[in-house]
Amino acid sequence: MPDSFDAPRARLLTLPESPAGALSIRAKALLFHDPRSAALLEQAERIARSEATVLINGETGTGKELIARHLHTQSGRKGPFLAVNCGAFSETMIDAELFGHETGAYTGAVQSRAGWFEAANGGTLFLDEIGDLPLALQVKLLRVLQERQVVRLGSRRSIPLDVRLVAATNIDLREAVAAQHFRADLYYRLSVATLALPALRERPGDILPLARHFVGVYGPRLSCSGALLAPEAQQALLDYAWPGNIRELENVIHFALIVCRDGIVQAGDLKLVPSLARAAPTPATPAATTEPAASTEHADPASADPAAPGAAQQLATLASSLLAARPAQLLHKLEAALVHAAFAQTGENQVQSARLLGVTRNTMRTLLKRHGLLDDAPEPEPAPRAGDELRLHPPFAH
């Protein structure tokens, strides 16, 4: 397999360099070489020139913040770009964080403070994990978007705003609306313009160029400049399913450069999980060609499993038996078992556990604390990331 790609078609977005920061907290590079990616970039740049609120959908690690920053850069807005993770604050603090507060608004509010909306005035506010926003705050956010003004917690004075909102989520907000976890009116307000970021496995033309980019980033730091990907390593990268998307690819390449020899990354250096290799396409059967299969994109997981009806019946029988025995605190024990199982199955990942159980991350945190899986220590508040400029690289070659 040749170690090259069509350079004129490739465009790369990266975050500003931050040597002191963690290596892979978020996707730090987004490349538009695959035709599907190139079409996405063109659509994003058309949307950027408008003032429309934007909703970005995509799996974790696909580069949603990079697209949001590019929207801000292309919009020509003179104010700052600020990024806020809605799942990073407790339900009691997120109101004050987003909308600000006055002195004495709550215990510990010793001085007034502007919220993120005020701080982003004249620029763009990026709200990541918007699906984790509590319902009570969704009402207030809707009013802010409609009236273009904000009222601080503990105040009656409205403050006019000139802020473009870009929101992002890794869940299907339409399903959240149907489950009454997200307000329909806010969803329609947010989704004036939508951008769907395909997963890395859905744009294979970007995998090798991104891998080479990360080789170029980490190689010099590890005294491995000029490292190359062996043909077998390239094929392994293409065959992998990439559940962690760009963020996972960066980590894989970083580790491979640490352990590789003679500046050549072999397939064994990648340490990919064999069970997550991309499944080979199955030849169509006559029945499949005459009658299309039903879509399972939004199907109930139970209905997609042939054994699910039997499992559901077993669960119903077990529940009846438990109820008949009248054990103490049955609901609490069942809830604890379910929470422990979901947390363990997802490798103690709060976001994935919440998605598995169909609840918000804040609800999941409450459940984890209730059942002793998470301490009550407050999470550190993320510092504003104002003034960061997104770099749009010219076409490049390796």
Side-chain angles (χ1 to χ4, degrees):
M1 181 179 300
D3 192 13
S4 63
F5 63 96
D6 186 8
R9 289 173 52 200
R11 297 178 69 186
L12 177 73
L13 302 180
T14 65
L15 290 175
E17 289 294 333
S18 180
L23 290 175
S24 296
I25 295 176
R26 47 193 166 148
K28 293 189 225 165
L30 185 56
L31 188 141
F32 304 91
H33 177 261
D34 189 275
R36 188 169 179 180
S37 299
L40 172 70
L41 179 63
E42 182 182 354
Q43 181 185 6
E45 293 181 342
R46 288 200 305 269
I47 291 174
R49 294 189 288 268
S50 72
E51 288 294 314
T53 301
V54 183
L55 179 62
I56 304 174
N57 296 283
E59 294 181 6
T60 300
T62 50
K64 296 186 289 295
E65 183 178 334
L66 286 164
I67 282 290
R69 287 172 176 269
H70 190 53
L71 288 170
H72 171 71
T73 302
Q74 295 294 304
S75 71
R77 296 183 70 86
K78 302 302 182 183
F81 173 91
L82 297 181
V84 181
N85 188 321
C86 294
F89 302 105
S90 66
E91 293 191 30
T92 56
M93 290 299 298
I94 193 169
D95 191 339
E97 288 291 336
L98 287 179
F99 308 116
H101 63 81
E102 296 293 344
T103 304
Y106 58 88
T107 303
V110 295
Q111 61 182 10
S112 61
R113 181 182 175 188
W116 289 93
F117 271 94
E118 285 183 71
N121 221 349
T124 302
L125 180 62
F126 173 59
L127 295 183
D128 198 7
E129 295 188 25
I130 190 72
D132 284 345
L133 198 65
L135 285 170
L137 269 295
Q138 293 178 27
V139 177
K140 193 165 184 177
L141 175 59
L142 179 63
R143 175 163 293 188
V144 169
L145 292 177
Q146 290 174 337
E147 300 180 0
R148 296 292 175 180
Q149 57 186 21
V150 68
V151 178
R152 292 183 181 180
L153 194 63
S155 173
R156 295 184 179 180
R157 181 175 65 89
S158 61
I159 300 171
L161 293 175
D162 174 23
V163 175
R164 183 181 193 175
L165 183 68
V166 178
T169 178
N170 57 17
I171 65 173
D172 190 330
L173 287 186
R174 293 169 298 182
E175 293 182 357
V177 169
Q180 299 184 343
H181 294 156
F182 201 84
R183 292 182 61 93
D185 47 5
L186 178 58
Y187 168 70
Y188 294 127
R189 188 77 185 185
L190 291 174
S191 58
V192 174
T194 60
L195 287 171
L197 266 66
L200 186 56
R201 61 185 172 275
E202 297 170 356
R203 42 191 169 107
D206 293 341
I207 294 175
L208 293 182
L210 273 169
R212 297 185 189 100
H213 166 72
F214 291 128
V215 167
V217 169
Y218 288 107
R221 300 182 192 178
L222 300 170
S223 301
C224 196
S225 297
L228 297 174
L229 298 168
E232 295 79 6
Q234 295 182 49
Q235 191 60 52
L237 292 172
L238 292 173
D239 290 342
Y240 190 63
W242 299 112
N245 294 292
I246 298 171
R247 185 183 305 169
E248 182 183 11
L249 175 61
E250 179 184 356
N251 290 338
V252 165
I253 295 298
H254 182 202
F255 177 78
L257 290 172
I258 294 174
V259 301
C260 75
R261 296 181 180 181
D262 302 322
I264 303 295
V265 175
Q266 303 292 345
D269 300 327
L270 300 172
K271 303 301 181 186
L272 300 175
V273 181
S275 61
L276 293 179
R278 194 191 310 272
T282 304
T285 61
T289 56
T290 56
E291 183 176 340
S295 173
T296 59
E297 181 179 358
H298 302 293
D300 184 348
S303 64
D305 183 359
Q313 182 59 46
Q314 292 175 17
L315 181 60
T317 302
L318 177 60
S320 298
S321 301
L322 290 172
L323 290 169
R326 298 183 181 276
Q329 297 185 316
L330 174 59
L331 183 59
H332 179 81
K333 292 176 180 177
L334 288 175
E335 182 183 84
L338 190 59
V339 170
H340 277 77
F343 202 45
Q345 185 170 329
T346 58
E348 300 188 355
N349 184 297
Q350 294 180 34
V351 173
Q352 297 297 332
S353 299
R355 183 186 300 174
L356 189 61
L357 295 180
V359 298
T360 66
R361 185 185 177 191
N362 284 328
T363 299
M364 190 68 205
R365 285 182 56 80
T366 300
L367 291 171
L368 293 172
K369 290 178 181 179
R370 181 184 303 167
H371 298 292
L373 295 173
L374 197 67
D375 58 38
D376 292 322
E379 293 182 294
E381 296 183 3
R385 297 196 295 270
D388 288 346
E389 294 298 331
L390 182 69
R391 298 181 295 169
L392 179 58
H393 296 251
F396 61 98
H398 294 268

